[in-house]
Amino acid sequence: MLMANPATLRNLVKRYETLRSTHARLGTSESSRQLEDVSYTLCVTTGTRTVPDALAAAEAQLRAVPAAGSLGTASAPGEVQLTA
């Protein structure tokens, strides 16, 4: 099974949570679009079809890897690295 780079996955989850809060507060078409975009990316990255499933998969994947910084080289911001 392919797994997203843990740092990338953590960043996606954090971005989703931030945008969800922002959209709840502002409710603009721009905040909606950004939330939809990160939701889609999170689902694709975790191989799921719904945000709740994506968040659960991300949590499970992140629990299965060592803490941040102990996996070697860091990827560039926005870069997706898949590991086997």
Side-chain angles (χ1 to χ4, degrees):
M1 174 178 163
L2 294 177
M3 292 179 59
N5 176 282
T8 300
L9 198 51
R10 280 186 200 91
N11 288 337
L12 277 172
V13 171
K14 183 176 179 179
R15 181 153 169 75
Y16 170 80
E17 291 169 349
T18 299
L19 288 170
R20 185 181 63 181
S21 175
T22 299
H23 183 61
R25 192 175 70 253
L26 300 177
T28 64
S29 60
E30 179 64 16
S31 65
S32 176
R33 185 194 60 75
Q34 290 178 347
L35 182 58
E36 287 176 18
D37 287 351
V38 76
S39 296
Y40 172 80
T41 303
L42 188 57
C43 287
V44 169
T45 302
T46 57
T48 59
R49 292 181 177 236
T50 68
V51 172
D53 288 346
L55 292 171
E59 181 181 343
Q61 287 181 29
L62 291 172
R63 269 188 277 133
V65 296
S70 62
L71 293 177
T73 60
S75 61
E79 180 180 329
V80 175
Q81 291 184 347
L82 300 177
T83 59

